[in-house]
Amino acid sequence: MRHFLLLACLLALAACLPERSPPGPQAAPGTPEFFQEQKASCEARGGQFGKAPGGATSVCFITTRDANETCSQNSDCEGMCLARSRTCTPVVPMFGCNEVLLDGGIRAEICLD
């Protein structure tokens, strides 16, 4: 009886999982079609597709839900916890060198070029 209940519970949970559709054909990297797919995917997630510093590549910038809220460590934030202001980053990714508060409040400098 126990095994039957366990099996019934597992089947019920499996029914709650969303269906996954097979991935469609994807454009080759570097093509205009690939760029458009990346831009559409970014915008569908609420991001803004733009040039990274230096302009060599495009990046999906996403505004964090906890932008500029007070923090004391990275786990307090969707992005990172900035050490100087003790606030969550307004956008991810954050380019340049930024001093952040890691978990436990440990200060570290993270650089993203």
Side-chain angles (χ1 to χ4, degrees), residues 24-104:
Q26 294 181 340
T31 63
E33 293 81 14
F34 181 79
F35 178 82
Q36 288 303 319
E37 287 176 4
Q38 296 298 308
K39 183 178 181 195
S41 172
C42 175
E43 291 172 352
R45 292 180 291 154
Q48 184 175 9
F49 204 64
K51 292 287 185 187
T57 187
S58 295
V59 176
C60 182
F61 293 96
I62 297 182
T63 301
T64 57
R65 291 183 296 264
D66 54 8
N68 303 313
E69 289 185 14
T70 303
C71 59
S72 59
Q73 59 185 353
N74 264 352
S75 60
D76 294 340
C77 301
E78 184 178 359
M80 295 183 290
C81 179
L82 297 171
R84 195 174 331 172
S85 62
R86 292 190 175 266
T87 59
C88 297
T89 55
V91 67
V92 289
M94 284 283 292
F95 285 93
C97 292
N98 296 283
E99 189 175 20
V100 298
L101 294 174
L102 301 176
D103 289 343

Side-chain angles (χ1 to χ4, degrees), residues 5-17:
L5 286 174
L6 178 60
L7 180 61
C9 288
L10 289 174
L11 289 173
L13 285 173
C16 295
L17 294 174

